[in-house]
Amino acid sequence: MNSVIETRFLTKIFNQKTIAVNDLFLTVPENSIYGFLGPNGAGKTTTIKLILGLIRPSAGFVRIFGTLMGMDSSDVRRRIGYLPTQPKFPNTMTPITYLDFIGKVFGLPRQVRIPRITELIRSVDLLPLSSSEIKRFSTGEITRVAMAACLINDPELLVLDEPTLGLDPIGRASTVKLITELGNREGKTVFVSSHILADIERFCTHVGIINSGKLIFDGTITEVKKLIRTNSVELQVEGETGSFISEVKAIPHITNVQSFKHGIKIGIDPQHYSETLLDIFRVLTEKNLELISLSLGSESLEEAFLDLLEEEKSHGFLRAISRKA
Amino acid sequence: MDSYEQSQGKRSIGHFLEKNVFLVLFIHEVRSGFKNPLQKGWIAGILFLGSLFTLGSRNLEAVSALLVLFIFFGSVVTLVLSSSSISGEIDEIADSLLSKSVKRWEYVLSKFTSHVVIVVTVYVMVVLLQVGILWRLHFLPESLDYGNLSFFIMIVGLVLVFFSSVGVLFSSLFSRTVLSLLAGFIVWFLLVFLFLATGWNFMYSPVEIFEHFLPILEGSWDVEYWKILLFYTGSSCISCFVSLLWFYQRDL
């Protein structure tokens, strides 16, 4: 699969003091929705600015569509749509005048520009506000104008920096829907940074996790979950649990069984996870117990994310040493 | 040329204007510049004062009074307007534009040219209007050398262009508008106010130039004018060049 964004050794040090991005190796495959996760100050926006050529890397390089990205790579940028965090606009402009201006900047001829502006204004639901000055808009409305502006050139790559930041639940849901739709279109790649894990989990196919400027994970959503799978199952059952627990303990590949006030946690050998799970259900049926709730040993992305950050904190140095070796 | 050819001609010019990113930015900047409330207030104020001078003096003094306003207040207004041109857009619209198909030189050059065009347009229109009225009503002396008057008007115009360029230069050097404004005012203080307050002589100072209004009109001020012209045009060009160089080094 071709990569749309590729960074190698990418490093940014501000004023010889702050390491914002550290030796970043990132590969964003074509037609993927790549979620770029990280806590505040992790280096997400700096990475995006490096990708777009807005800031100069201290070391390393960025390739987009196979072309080296520089400060004047306007031909590459023609194929990119960028949504900044909390976008700003010229005060006196309306959505129509702003989109027309951006369309001209992209060199779109009038015959293409005008119909596209109309279509975009409709699709981001700005029709009633299309001739109002942007300075009076709410955060959600501003994000919608910015989203329209970043789509005006029909980009192959969309770079969205915290698109749901500051939005109310309705605005957030509609933005998530829009991103999902865009990501599903043929020939579009979406690179979206966020620290709202629920959003990323909902629409991304790939995830990169950055912490303190360092990429600590790069892979698919399934891979990230597999990586931190706890290999356990939690059950809440109604009925006589004593004999159930003793029979479960006898099942091969069960590592441990813990009984709590409201449930039973069963540890399973990861090599035999699926078959052992079936054995547990068999015992459950034999004992005629009612299953109230079941929690499989796969964490939410949020837990996975926190685990990875914790692991990075404790093993980051060792990893760095082993990689150099 | 028939109407079809004319429309094709118009279309190709319009098409060229729309395809050229620099021109798109330049036209946008000029439009926004004229919409600026400070610019509007300045134009209204200078037109009002210009008419007062014209009606009051009804001679060459009206022109000199108007030029004084441009040298002392016009330069400040120009500085204020141009000092926020780039620094006021960093982390805001500049990021947005430069993440699109805009090259850095196109962005910086559009700022320079638009500010220069705005300042020169306002200045030339107001001065020409006043001189035109005075000439039409025969309030100007018959012995007046219009060539020398035009030359003087041109030097004052260059002074305004210089302050406009300095403002854009500082706005590209500093990330905060306050700092670029401060730096601009220091230049204005050193070149204008200092010589006004102390009476020191420095031929490149707008104060010194204005003090020789009549000798210049009579052609009797014995200086090498090319040095003055080179000082103002050269400084403006250098400002533009330095801004471009610096802007290519800076992170947004």
Side-chain angles (χ1 to χ4, degrees), chain A residues 96-126:
Chain A
I96 292 179
T97 53
Y98 181 70
L99 292 175
D100 191 48
F101 169 56
I102 295 299
K104 282 179 185 169
V105 164
F106 275 117
L108 300 176
R110 195 180 167 81
Q111 300 93 308
V112 176
R113 203 170 66 237
I114 303 300
R116 195 168 290 166
I117 290 171
T118 322
E119 186 197 335
L120 283 170
I121 282 183
R122 277 178 194 279
S123 64
V124 295
D125 199 20
L126 277 171

Side-chain angles (χ1 to χ4, degrees), chain B residues 8-160:
Chain B
Q8 286 301 301
K10 275 182 188 170
R11 189 174 293 174
S12 61
I13 292 167
H15 187 68
F16 172 74
L17 288 176
E18 287 183 352
K19 277 277 179 189
N20 190 308
V21 179
F22 167 72
L23 283 176
V24 169
L25 293 176
F26 169 75
I27 293 166
H28 167 74
E29 287 298 328
V30 171
R31 279 187 186 155
S32 325
F34 278 113
K35 280 181 190 167
N36 188 303
L38 178 62
Q39 186 71 260
K40 283 181 185 170
W42 167 242
I43 294 171
I46 199 76
L47 279 173
F48 174 70
L49 291 170
S51 4
L52 276 187
F53 296 150
T54 311
L55 292 171
S57 303
R58 298 186 181 195
N59 55 34
L60 202 56
E61 273 180 27
V63 181
S64 75
L66 188 70
L67 293 177
V68 166
L69 269 183
F70 271 108
I71 287 176
F72 295 109
F73 295 104
S75 55
V76 173
V77 172
T78 303
L79 260 180
V80 172
L81 288 170
S82 55
S83 293
S84 61
S85 57
I86 295 176
S87 54
E89 291 187 351
I90 298 292
D91 284 331
E92 293 184 7
I93 305 149
D95 290 30
S96 204
L97 283 175
L98 291 163
S99 66
K100 296 177 172 61
S101 54
V102 175
K103 292 190 170 90
R104 292 204 172 198
W105 69 263
E106 290 168 330
Y107 178 75
V108 176
L109 212 59
S110 73
K111 294 285 178 193
F112 263 99
T113 47
S114 60
H115 276 88
V116 166
V117 164
I118 291 169
V119 75
V120 169
T121 307
V122 173
Y123 169 69
V124 169
M125 295 302 277
V126 173
V127 172
L128 277 187
L129 184 72
Q130 190 201 41
V131 172
I133 292 169
L134 289 169
W135 172 77
R136 189 78 183 87
L137 298 174
H138 305 288
F139 289 154
L140 293 176
E142 281 181 16
S143 59
L144 179 68
D145 186 330
Y146 284 95
N148 287 344
L149 179 65
S150 306
F151 180 70
F152 189 86
I153 290 171
M154 186 190 75
I155 293 179
V156 176
L158 281 179
V159 171
L160 294 174

Side-chain angles (χ1 to χ4, degrees), chain A residues 232-243:
Chain A
S232 66
V233 60
E234 275 186 54
L235 306 171
Q236 194 181 351
V237 291
E238 197 176 74
E240 172 51 46
T241 55
S243 60

Side-chain angles (χ1 to χ4, degrees), chain A residues 108-255:
Chain A
L108 300 176
R110 195 180 167 81
Q111 300 93 308
V112 176
R113 203 170 66 237
I114 303 300
R116 195 168 290 166
I117 290 171
T118 322
E119 186 197 335
L120 283 170
I121 282 183
R122 277 178 194 279
S123 64
V124 295
D125 199 20
L126 277 171
L127 208 54
L129 299 164
S130 56
S131 47
S132 312
E133 284 186 347
I134 301 174
K135 65 181 172 190
R136 297 177 213 284
F137 284 16
S138 67
T139 313
E141 289 159 353
I142 284 174
T143 306
R144 278 187 273 159
V145 178
M147 189 61 99
C150 93
L151 292 171
I152 197 152
N153 54 329
D154 193 19
E156 292 159 61
L157 167 66
L158 275 160
V159 179
L160 314 173
D161 192 2
E162 310 246 17
T164 53
L165 191 75
L167 297 183
D168 61 18
I170 300 166
R172 205 173 127 193
S174 69
T175 307
V176 166
K177 194 179 158 204
L178 187 65
I179 295 169
T180 314
E181 276 174 21
L182 287 167
N184 289 337
R185 280 191 203 168
E186 194 60 38
K188 291 241 188 285
T189 306
V190 183
F191 182 87
V192 52
S193 91
S194 182
H195 61 259
I196 303 171
L197 298 152
D199 293 347
I200 296 287
E201 196 167 17
R202 212 174 298 166
F203 55 70
C204 288
T205 56
H206 293 70
V207 182
I209 299 177
I210 187 172
N211 186 38
S212 304
K214 191 115 186 114
L215 195 70
I216 57 174
F217 181 81
D218 184 21
T220 62
I221 282 268
T222 322
E223 279 170 350
V224 74
K225 286 189 174 179
K226 216 183 265 179
L227 190 78
I228 42 71
R229 192 168 66 177
T230 57
N231 300 309
S232 66
V233 60
E234 275 186 54
L235 306 171
Q236 194 181 351
V237 291
E238 197 176 74
E240 172 51 46
T241 55
S243 60
F244 170 72
I245 289 172
S246 53
E247 276 206 34
V248 165
K249 277 181 179 170
I251 297 173
H253 314 303
I254 293 287
T255 53

